[in-house]
mmCIF file of all heavy atoms in Angstrom:
data_model
loop_
_atom_site.group_PDB
_atom_site.id
_atom_site.type_symbol
_atom_site.label_atom_id
_atom_site.label_comp_id
_atom_site.label_asym_id
_atom_site.label_seq_id
_atom_site.Cartn_x
_atom_site.Cartn_y
_atom_site.Cartn_z
ATOM 1 N N GLN A 1203 61.241 56.924 60.310
ATOM 2 C CA GLN A 1203 62.577 56.916 60.608
ATOM 3 C C GLN A 1203 63.126 56.681 62.042
ATOM 4 O O GLN A 1203 64.192 56.325 62.249
ATOM 5 C CB GLN A 1203 63.254 58.415 60.137
ATOM 6 C CG GLN A 1203 63.320 58.556 58.665
ATOM 7 C CD GLN A 1203 62.064 59.120 57.939
ATOM 8 O OE1 GLN A 1203 61.355 59.763 58.720
ATOM 9 N NE2 GLN A 1203 61.845 58.739 56.745
ATOM 10 N N ARG A 1204 62.245 57.041 62.913
ATOM 11 C CA ARG A 1204 62.686 56.973 64.377
ATOM 12 C C ARG A 1204 61.584 56.631 65.246
ATOM 13 O O ARG A 1204 60.459 56.437 64.967
ATOM 14 C CB ARG A 1204 63.185 58.407 64.680
ATOM 15 C CG ARG A 1204 62.117 59.536 64.592
ATOM 16 C CD ARG A 1204 62.589 60.879 64.468
ATOM 17 N NE ARG A 1204 63.373 61.295 63.364
ATOM 18 C CZ ARG A 1204 62.900 61.522 62.152
ATOM 19 N NH1 ARG A 1204 61.585 61.601 62.115
ATOM 20 N NH2 ARG A 1204 63.632 61.791 61.187
ATOM 21 N N ALA A 1205 61.989 56.433 66.525
ATOM 22 C CA ALA A 1205 61.009 56.002 67.646
ATOM 23 C C ALA A 1205 61.572 56.585 68.974
ATOM 24 O O ALA A 1205 62.723 56.862 69.205
ATOM 25 C CB ALA A 1205 60.941 54.488 67.762
ATOM 26 N N ALA A 1206 60.729 56.789 69.904
ATOM 27 C CA ALA A 1206 61.036 57.345 71.130
ATOM 28 C C ALA A 1206 60.007 57.018 72.270
ATOM 29 O O ALA A 1206 58.871 56.659 71.921
ATOM 30 C CB ALA A 1206 61.096 58.906 71.047
ATOM 31 N N VAL A 1207 60.431 57.061 73.532
ATOM 32 C CA VAL A 1207 59.484 56.797 74.639
ATOM 33 C C VAL A 1207 59.568 58.020 75.572
ATOM 34 O O VAL A 1207 60.595 58.679 75.878
ATOM 35 C CB VAL A 1207 59.927 55.544 75.337
ATOM 36 C CG1 VAL A 1207 59.138 55.443 76.672
ATOM 37 C CG2 VAL A 1207 59.874 54.242 74.419
ATOM 38 N N ALA A 1208 58.388 58.461 75.978
ATOM 39 C CA ALA A 1208 58.274 59.484 77.062
ATOM 40 C C ALA A 1208 57.680 58.900 78.272
ATOM 41 O O ALA A 1208 56.907 57.904 78.238
ATOM 42 C CB ALA A 1208 57.327 60.632 76.655
ATOM 43 N N TRP A 1209 58.240 59.338 79.384
ATOM 44 C CA TRP A 1209 57.665 58.774 80.691
ATOM 45 C C TRP A 1209 57.889 59.744 81.907
ATOM 46 O O TRP A 1209 58.566 60.703 81.802
ATOM 47 C CB TRP A 1209 58.355 57.380 81.024
ATOM 48 C CG TRP A 1209 59.779 57.501 81.532
ATOM 49 C CD1 TRP A 1209 60.107 57.490 82.785
ATOM 50 C CD2 TRP A 1209 60.984 57.629 80.686
ATOM 51 N NE1 TRP A 1209 61.557 57.513 82.851
ATOM 52 C CE2 TRP A 1209 62.068 57.605 81.648
ATOM 53 C CE3 TRP A 1209 61.140 57.671 79.383
ATOM 54 C CZ2 TRP A 1209 63.419 57.739 81.090
ATOM 55 C CZ3 TRP A 1209 62.517 57.842 78.879
ATOM 56 C CH2 TRP A 1209 63.528 57.853 79.778
ATOM 57 N N TYR A 1210 57.255 59.454 82.950
ATOM 58 C CA TYR A 1210 57.234 60.237 84.227
ATOM 59 C C TYR A 1210 57.911 59.495 85.283
ATOM 60 O O TYR A 1210 57.761 58.231 85.391
ATOM 61 C CB TYR A 1210 55.726 60.578 84.589
ATOM 62 C CG TYR A 1210 55.692 61.257 85.890
ATOM 63 C CD1 TYR A 1210 55.966 62.655 85.994
ATOM 64 C CD2 TYR A 1210 55.169 60.721 87.069
ATOM 65 C CE1 TYR A 1210 55.849 63.305 87.111
ATOM 66 C CE2 TYR A 1210 55.053 61.336 88.234
ATOM 67 C CZ TYR A 1210 55.308 62.661 88.314
ATOM 68 O OH TYR A 1210 55.207 63.446 89.513
ATOM 69 N N THR A 1211 58.652 60.076 86.166
ATOM 70 C CA THR A 1211 59.235 59.493 87.306
ATOM 71 C C THR A 1211 59.332 60.539 88.434
ATOM 72 O O THR A 1211 59.321 61.744 88.190
ATOM 73 C CB THR A 1211 60.701 58.973 86.938
ATOM 74 O OG1 THR A 1211 61.295 58.385 88.181
ATOM 75 C CG2 THR A 1211 61.620 60.056 86.529
ATOM 76 N N GLU A 1212 59.345 59.945 89.712
ATOM 77 C CA GLU A 1212 59.628 60.849 90.769
ATOM 78 C C GLU A 1212 60.770 60.305 91.568
ATOM 79 O O GLU A 1212 61.008 60.606 92.785
ATOM 80 C CB GLU A 1212 58.393 60.891 91.791
ATOM 81 C CG GLU A 1212 57.228 61.662 91.164
ATOM 82 C CD GLU A 1212 55.992 61.707 92.122
ATOM 83 O OE1 GLU A 1212 56.224 61.583 93.376
ATOM 84 O OE2 GLU A 1212 54.869 61.955 91.629
ATOM 85 N N ALA A 1213 61.713 59.657 90.871
ATOM 86 C CA ALA A 1213 62.984 59.188 91.535
ATOM 87 C C ALA A 1213 63.750 60.379 92.115
ATOM 88 O O ALA A 1213 63.824 61.427 91.697
ATOM 89 C CB ALA A 1213 63.859 58.451 90.522
ATOM 90 N N ASP A 1214 64.245 60.134 93.274
ATOM 91 C CA ASP A 1214 65.162 61.011 94.134
ATOM 92 C C ASP A 1214 64.263 62.328 94.448
ATOM 93 O O ASP A 1214 64.791 63.483 94.581
ATOM 94 C CB ASP A 1214 66.254 61.522 93.262
ATOM 95 C CG ASP A 1214 67.192 60.379 92.791
ATOM 96 O OD1 ASP A 1214 67.496 59.437 93.581
ATOM 97 O OD2 ASP A 1214 67.658 60.312 91.699
ATOM 98 N N ASP A 1215 62.965 62.007 94.615
ATOM 99 C CA ASP A 1215 62.050 63.182 94.974
ATOM 100 C C ASP A 1215 62.023 64.290 94.062
ATOM 101 O O ASP A 1215 62.004 65.598 94.418
ATOM 102 C CB ASP A 1215 62.281 63.663 96.471
ATOM 103 C CG ASP A 1215 62.057 62.542 97.531
ATOM 104 O OD1 ASP A 1215 61.034 61.870 97.369
ATOM 105 O OD2 ASP A 1215 62.811 62.381 98.463
ATOM 106 N N ASP A 1216 62.284 63.941 92.797
ATOM 107 C CA ASP A 1216 62.458 64.987 91.644
ATOM 108 C C ASP A 1216 61.508 64.647 90.638
ATOM 109 O O ASP A 1216 61.768 63.998 89.677
ATOM 110 C CB ASP A 1216 63.854 65.080 91.225
ATOM 111 C CG ASP A 1216 63.979 66.091 90.110
ATOM 112 O OD1 ASP A 1216 63.215 67.012 90.079
ATOM 113 O OD2 ASP A 1216 65.053 66.043 89.329
ATOM 114 N N PRO A 1217 60.210 65.052 90.730
ATOM 115 C CA PRO A 1217 59.294 64.789 89.581
ATOM 116 C C PRO A 1217 59.591 65.333 88.326
ATOM 117 O O PRO A 1217 60.101 66.471 88.151
ATOM 118 C CB PRO A 1217 57.973 65.417 90.067
ATOM 119 C CG PRO A 1217 58.077 65.625 91.550
ATOM 120 C CD PRO A 1217 59.530 65.956 91.707
ATOM 121 N N ARG A 1218 59.628 64.492 87.229
ATOM 122 C CA ARG A 1218 60.143 64.913 85.914
ATOM 123 C C ARG A 1218 59.522 64.042 84.781
ATOM 124 O O ARG A 1218 59.175 62.863 84.991
ATOM 125 C CB ARG A 1218 61.574 64.952 85.853
ATOM 126 C CG ARG A 1218 62.306 63.556 86.173
ATOM 127 C CD ARG A 1218 63.758 63.794 86.424
ATOM 128 N NE ARG A 1218 64.537 62.533 86.680
ATOM 129 C CZ ARG A 1218 64.572 62.016 87.872
ATOM 130 N NH1 ARG A 1218 63.903 62.350 88.929
ATOM 131 N NH2 ARG A 1218 65.311 60.830 87.914
ATOM 132 N N VAL A 1219 59.373 64.677 83.641
ATOM 133 C CA VAL A 1219 59.015 63.993 82.380
ATOM 134 C C VAL A 1219 60.177 63.913 81.617
ATOM 135 O O VAL A 1219 60.889 64.901 81.358
ATOM 136 C CB VAL A 1219 57.825 64.771 81.692
ATOM 137 C CG1 VAL A 1219 57.548 64.139 80.266
ATOM 138 C CG2 VAL A 1219 56.589 64.753 82.477
ATOM 139 N N GLN A 1220 60.468 62.701 81.153
ATOM 140 C CA GLN A 1220 61.669 62.446 80.239
ATOM 141 C C GLN A 1220 61.304 61.738 79.016
ATOM 142 O O GLN A 1220 60.309 61.071 78.813
ATOM 143 C CB GLN A 1220 62.672 61.521 81.032
ATOM 144 C CG GLN A 1220 62.979 62.163 82.429
ATOM 145 C CD GLN A 1220 64.032 61.226 83.114
ATOM 146 O OE1 GLN A 1220 65.058 61.719 83.578
ATOM 147 N NE2 GLN A 1220 63.701 59.886 83.260
ATOM 148 N N ILE A 1221 62.216 61.865 78.029
ATOM 149 C CA ILE A 1221 62.062 61.219 76.668
ATOM 150 C C ILE A 1221 63.444 60.671 76.397
ATOM 151 O O ILE A 1221 64.479 61.107 76.848
ATOM 152 C CB ILE A 1221 61.660 62.109 75.600
ATOM 153 C CG1 ILE A 1221 62.579 63.180 75.246
ATOM 154 C CG2 ILE A 1221 60.256 62.788 75.958
ATOM 155 C CD1 ILE A 1221 63.506 62.977 73.949
ATOM 156 N N ALA A 1222 63.454 59.515 75.656
ATOM 157 C CA ALA A 1222 64.566 58.822 75.246
ATOM 158 C C ALA A 1222 64.350 58.296 73.774
ATOM 159 O O ALA A 1222 63.340 57.778 73.517
ATOM 160 C CB ALA A 1222 65.104 57.728 76.110
ATOM 161 N N TRP A 1223 65.382 58.575 72.796
ATOM 162 C CA TRP A 1223 65.256 58.160 71.507
ATOM 163 C C TRP A 1223 65.691 56.705 71.478
ATOM 164 O O TRP A 1223 66.763 56.399 72.029
ATOM 165 C CB TRP A 1223 66.098 58.988 70.650
ATOM 166 C CG TRP A 1223 65.671 60.411 70.538
ATOM 167 C CD1 TRP A 1223 65.915 61.555 71.318
ATOM 168 C CD2 TRP A 1223 64.618 60.990 69.763
ATOM 169 N NE1 TRP A 1223 65.266 62.630 71.080
ATOM 170 C CE2 TRP A 1223 64.317 62.298 70.097
ATOM 171 C CE3 TRP A 1223 63.696 60.433 68.716
ATOM 172 C CZ2 TRP A 1223 63.500 63.168 69.392
ATOM 173 C CZ3 TRP A 1223 62.906 61.241 68.094
ATOM 174 C CH2 TRP A 1223 62.679 62.629 68.403
ATOM 175 N N PHE A 1224 65.027 55.981 70.618
ATOM 176 C CA PHE A 1224 65.449 54.516 70.331
ATOM 177 C C PHE A 1224 66.385 54.558 69.152
ATOM 178 O O PHE A 1224 66.111 54.979 68.007
ATOM 179 C CB PHE A 1224 64.174 53.722 69.941
ATOM 180 C CG PHE A 1224 64.466 52.232 69.783
ATOM 181 C CD1 PHE A 1224 64.959 51.487 70.860
ATOM 182 C CD2 PHE A 1224 64.195 51.562 68.579
ATOM 183 C CE1 PHE A 1224 65.143 50.166 70.736
ATOM 184 C CE2 PHE A 1224 64.352 50.225 68.413
ATOM 185 C CZ PHE A 1224 64.842 49.538 69.430
ATOM 186 N N VAL A 1225 67.679 54.140 69.512
ATOM 187 C CA VAL A 1225 68.807 54.333 68.526
ATOM 188 C C VAL A 1225 69.382 52.942 68.364
ATOM 189 O O VAL A 1225 69.946 52.360 69.249
ATOM 190 C CB VAL A 1225 69.815 55.390 68.962
ATOM 191 C CG1 VAL A 1225 70.982 55.522 68.145
ATOM 192 C CG2 VAL A 1225 69.270 56.694 69.324
ATOM 193 N N GLY A 1226 69.343 52.452 67.097
ATOM 194 C CA GLY A 1226 69.807 51.129 66.867
ATOM 195 C C GLY A 1226 68.956 50.190 67.543
ATOM 196 O O GLY A 1226 67.713 50.116 67.329
ATOM 197 N N GLU A 1227 69.540 49.419 68.531
ATOM 198 C CA GLU A 1227 68.687 48.507 69.298
ATOM 199 C C GLU A 1227 68.721 48.803 70.688
ATOM 200 O O GLU A 1227 68.584 47.952 71.576
ATOM 201 C CB GLU A 1227 69.265 47.119 69.091
ATOM 202 C CG GLU A 1227 69.143 46.546 67.714
ATOM 203 C CD GLU A 1227 67.531 46.422 67.231
ATOM 204 O OE1 GLU A 1227 66.830 45.876 68.003
ATOM 205 O OE2 GLU A 1227 67.239 46.912 66.147
ATOM 206 N N THR A 1228 68.971 50.176 71.065
ATOM 207 C CA THR A 1228 68.927 50.525 72.442
ATOM 208 C C THR A 1228 68.351 51.907 72.499
ATOM 209 O O THR A 1228 67.967 52.546 71.594
ATOM 210 C CB THR A 1228 70.298 50.326 73.062
ATOM 211 O OG1 THR A 1228 70.124 50.602 74.513
ATOM 212 C CG2 THR A 1228 71.359 51.352 72.517
ATOM 213 N N PHE A 1229 68.445 52.477 73.662
ATOM 214 C CA PHE A 1229 68.030 53.975 73.827
ATOM 215 C C PHE A 1229 69.154 54.852 74.267
ATOM 216 O O PHE A 1229 70.065 54.564 74.905
ATOM 217 C CB PHE A 1229 66.922 53.973 75.032
ATOM 218 C CG PHE A 1229 65.594 53.505 74.635
ATOM 219 C CD1 PHE A 1229 65.240 52.159 74.642
ATOM 220 C CD2 PHE A 1229 64.660 54.451 74.081
ATOM 221 C CE1 PHE A 1229 63.948 51.777 74.271
ATOM 222 C CE2 PHE A 1229 63.459 54.042 73.560
ATOM 223 C CZ PHE A 1229 63.051 52.684 73.725
ATOM 224 N N ALA A 1230 69.003 56.065 73.700
ATOM 225 C CA ALA A 1230 70.024 57.161 74.078
ATOM 226 C C ALA A 1230 69.677 57.618 75.493
ATOM 227 O O ALA A 1230 68.641 57.320 76.066
ATOM 228 C CB ALA A 1230 69.908 58.177 73.052
ATOM 229 N N ALA A 1231 70.579 58.413 75.994
ATOM 230 C CA ALA A 1231 70.422 59.023 77.353
ATOM 231 C C ALA A 1231 69.165 59.821 77.430
ATOM 232 O O ALA A 1231 68.740 60.471 76.433
ATOM 233 C CB ALA A 1231 71.536 59.875 77.782
ATOM 234 N N PRO A 1232 68.340 59.729 78.519
ATOM 235 C CA PRO A 1232 67.205 60.517 78.616
ATOM 236 C C PRO A 1232 67.315 62.042 78.557
ATOM 237 O O PRO A 1232 68.339 62.523 79.034
ATOM 238 C CB PRO A 1232 66.526 60.075 79.923
ATOM 239 C CG PRO A 1232 67.608 59.572 80.761
ATOM 240 C CD PRO A 1232 68.599 59.063 79.841
#
C-alpha cells in the first residue's frame, strides 16, 4: 500500500534522522 524513505542529515549543524512518505507521485513533508 505505501512507500517511504529514511535518511540522515547534518544540515544547519543539526544531526537528525528523517522519514518521508511517498504519496501519489511525490513525497510528504519529512
